[in-house]
Amino acid sequence: MELKLKRKIDNYLVSWKQNPERLPLIVKGARQIGKTFSIELFAQSYKSFVEINFVTSPEYKAIFETGFSVENIVKQISMINPKFQFIPHKTLIFFDELQSCPNCATCLKFFALHRQYDVICSGSLMGINYQEIESVSVGYKTDYEMYSLDFEEFLWAKGYSDSQIDSLFENMKQQIPLNPAVINVMTQYFKEYMLVGGMPQIVKKFVSQNNFSGLLELQRALLAAYKEDITKYAIGLDKAKVNNVYENIPVFLAKENKKFLISKISHGARNREYVGIVDWLKDAGIVNICYCLDLPELPFKGNYNPQNYKLYFKDTGLLIASLDDESQADLRANKNFNTFKGAIYENIVADMLVKAGYPLYYFKNSKGTIEMDFFVRDASNVVPIEVKANDNSTRSLNNLIESSSYPQIKYGIKLCNKNIGYNGKFFTFPYFLTFLLKKFMLWKIETNKNN
């Protein structure tokens, strides 16, 4: 029997259906992260399900040619396939591969006002022009961005329950070190997650067979598919330059400061020649961008340099799959993640923070004496996060906390291969607890508010 993965979108879809004021839903996300499967599974809760895929059934693109009224669209769909049933208040209409028929977005306003049928749209971020969609459906849709599996979903796939995961969070809240046996098991699973990544097809294969056989081939096929989609969908951009940026991400992550420099990817390259390319890769769900703050202070959004950034792969399994064969062999045989100048740990933390809902920012002062990997915040404080591939000194973290130059920094967080702890200045958490960091920060805000 095929393994069915529990996903966080499952509960979201149930809540969406229960909301009497629900609007048509657009599920956004990179290719092959399980959007269609999750929506089809959810559709079983409806009496009638109308699924239209604009790639496999392009004839449905014509249903909007005679107007966007719900009655007209239902009529046109029924003319193409009379077996579809449209039962008021008991039907889910699913428009899949929206990027192949952006015209479909115009109908969302009419379905929102009509209120007799539930509508979900989905498609690859790589091909959807959301500015175009937003312009015709603003106020008449809800967006949900889906990601590949996060570590919590990976643990679900391994058989862990919500109560077992809650017990990890209780240790974080109370600052109680985890049992060494728990640390060892969780660290092992986390290393598996780094190698496997979160793409559902690959996770299913790994969990089912409990080994890495055949995974690299699947991962490299996905990387090739992304390159193919760049050629297909990077409209209005120099596709060779998009590919050039994409292929150079591992090169820059291997460098000491990991900063991405356009001038270094090809001879004579200039930032102005690459305008829009990095943003397109981010919007396509391929990379995470981490911007350099001018100063480590709030608000983050008005305090960063858009020309100064690091790029990370969205999926660490795909980052590792992009490395050379020798690195592959070392990582899979020896789990030697301390190589590659800490880039793999940094990449996985970046991905986990984004999946938790955080934008990414880092900081490096002009003297180069302080460099901090990431930042989050509580109600009023800036909270630096240091990612340590090796358990060496935390000079930058200490300097930020102790310096009077950074009054909004009162404490920090260190992520490393150590147990839970707090030394009066910063919290220490093992890497694998990063997926609970947002929950921990919200709990701290609530606790401080009540004290």
Side-chain angles (χ1 to χ4, degrees):
M1 189 173 69
E2 185 185 11
L3 173 69
K4 286 188 178 179
L5 298 174
K6 178 183 173 184
R7 303 300 303 274
K8 291 185 174 178
I9 192 176
D10 299 342
N11 286 336
Y12 177 86
L13 291 172
V14 171
S15 299
W16 173 77
K17 185 180 180 183
Q18 291 171 345
N19 179 5
E21 302 300 319
R22 61 188 173 278
L23 295 171
L25 176 66
I26 296 182
V27 178
K28 304 184 288 187
R31 63 177 291 147
Q32 298 191 36
I33 58 168
K35 300 184 298 296
T36 298
F37 180 84
S38 292
I39 295 165
E40 288 174 341
L41 190 65
F42 167 67
Q44 295 174 13
S45 66
Y46 286 81
K47 189 168 184 180
S48 177
F49 180 43
V50 176
E51 182 174 13
I52 292 170
N53 185 307
F54 290 117
V55 169
T56 58
S57 302
E59 64 271 18
Y60 284 100
K61 294 180 185 180
I63 64 177
F64 308 108
E65 288 183 359
T66 53
F68 292 96
S69 73
V70 172
E71 293 81 2
N72 178 70
I73 292 167
V74 167
K75 178 184 175 182
Q76 297 303 322
I77 293 172
S78 298
M79 290 297 290
I80 297 171
N81 186 347
K83 293 181 180 179
F84 280 139
Q85 287 186 301
F86 292 87
I87 306 170
H89 310 294
K90 295 182 180 180
T91 300
L92 174 64
I93 302 172
F94 176 31
F95 296 116
D96 201 6
E97 303 292 359
L98 183 62
Q99 76 277 2
S100 291
C101 186
N103 208 21
C104 174
T106 305
C107 78
L108 299 184
K109 174 180 178 179
F110 297 90
F111 275 104
L113 296 172
H114 192 261
R115 305 189 70 81
Q116 288 202 15
Y117 307 109
D118 287 350
V119 176
I120 297 179
C121 300
S122 184
S124 167
L125 281 171
M126 195 170 279
I128 295 178
N129 183 341
Y130 274 99
Q131 288 184 337
E132 178 184 340
I133 288 173
E134 182 66 33
S135 67
V136 297
S137 57
V138 61
Y140 297 101
K141 66 177 178 64
T142 301
D143 287 318
Y144 179 91
E145 186 161 357
M146 188 176 176
Y147 302 99
S148 63
L149 278 80
D150 66 15
F151 187 54
E152 184 171 17
E153 291 171 315
F154 184 80
L155 290 177
W156 289 340
K158 298 285 280 189
Y160 281 82
S161 66
D162 289 337
S163 61
Q164 289 169 317
I165 291 170
D166 287 342
S167 72
L168 296 174
F169 183 58
E170 285 301 315
N171 283 67
M172 289 180 75
K173 288 197 301 184
Q174 299 177 40
Q175 289 299 294
I176 299 173
L178 293 166
N179 183 293
V182 174
I183 287 273
N184 289 339
V185 170
M186 285 293 152
T187 298
Q188 174 61 30
Y189 286 158
F190 188 64
K191 288 180 177 179
E192 290 176 358
Y193 176 64
M194 283 196 281
L195 286 166
V196 171
M199 302 308 259
Q201 178 189 10
I202 297 167
V203 173
K204 278 185 184 180
K205 185 176 178 66
F206 172 74
V207 173
S208 298
Q209 67 188 24
N210 200 28
N211 62 57
F212 296 100
S213 176
L215 299 190
L216 181 57
E217 289 77 11
L218 284 176
Q219 289 169 322
R220 286 184 169 167
L222 269 173
L223 289 168
Y226 278 141
K227 287 190 68 174
E228 184 180 327
D229 278 356
I230 286 171
T231 302
K232 185 176 180 181
Y233 290 120
I235 298 167
L237 297 172
D238 186 322
K239 293 168 184 178
K241 289 177 179 175
V242 179
N243 259 320
N244 206 7
V245 171
Y246 176 54
E247 291 177 346
N248 271 280
I249 295 170
V251 176
F252 284 93
L253 286 177
K255 297 183 183 299
E256 198 65 48
N257 68 4
K258 301 177 182 61
K259 179 181 174 183
F260 198 93
L261 297 169
I262 293 294
S263 60
K264 299 293 184 183
I265 66 174
S266 65
H267 181 70
R270 297 289 182 269
N271 272 313
R272 65 176 178 271
E273 299 167 356
Y274 285 76
V275 170
I277 286 176
V278 172
D279 286 331
W280 185 87
L281 286 167
K282 177 180 180 289
D283 292 343
I286 296 174
V287 304
N288 289 318
I289 306 178
C290 183
Y291 290 106
C292 185
L293 293 170
D294 294 324
L295 284 170
E297 60 185 37
L298 301 172
F300 292 149
K301 283 190 175 179
N303 180 34
Y304 71 88
N305 183 348
Q307 302 299 320
N308 193 350
Y309 53 84
K310 300 177 185 180
L311 293 183
Y312 298 102
F313 265 71
K314 276 276 188 186
D315 188 273
T316 302
L318 295 184
L319 166 65
I320 291 174
S322 72
L323 305 179
D324 57 64
D325 290 339
E326 292 76 18
S327 298
Q328 291 286 334
D330 182 31
L331 286 164
R332 292 176 191 276
N334 305 314
K335 307 291 191 297
N336 186 13
F337 294 101
N338 289 333
T339 58
F340 209 55
K341 294 186 170 62
I344 294 172
Y345 282 118
E346 220 174 285
N347 198 94
I348 193 78
V349 169
D351 186 49
M352 293 171 89
L353 290 174
V354 168
K355 285 174 176 173
Y358 285 114
L360 300 179
Y361 301 102
Y362 77 100
F363 174 69
K364 185 174 184 177
N365 67 357
S366 57
K367 296 179 181 177
T369 55
I370 295 178
E371 184 166 5
M372 189 50 50
D373 301 309
F374 303 107
F375 290 87
V376 295
R377 61 169 297 176
D378 61 19
S380 57
N381 297 306
V382 172
V383 183
I385 297 177
E386 188 162 31
V387 180
K388 303 301 290 187
N390 300 296
D391 187 29
N392 47 18
S393 65
T394 54
R395 186 178 64 179
S396 288
L397 188 56
N398 284 320
N399 286 345
L400 282 172
I401 296 167
E402 294 168 0
S403 174
S404 59
S405 300
Y406 311 110
Q408 293 183 356
I409 298 177
K410 303 289 194 300
Y411 65 96
I413 294 169
K414 177 182 175 182
L415 300 172
C416 57
N417 276 319
K418 292 187 74 175
N419 212 327
I420 294 171
Y422 179 64
N423 64 2
K425 291 190 293 185
F426 56 82
F427 295 92
T428 299
F429 296 121
Y431 298 113
F432 59 78
L433 290 180
T434 305
F435 78 96
L436 290 169
L437 209 52
K438 180 92 170 190
K439 192 175 179 181
F440 177 75
M441 296 304 298
L442 292 172
W443 170 80
K444 271 187 65 62
I445 291 170
E446 195 62 30
T447 302
N448 292 336
K449 190 167 65 176
N450 295 330
N451 288 339

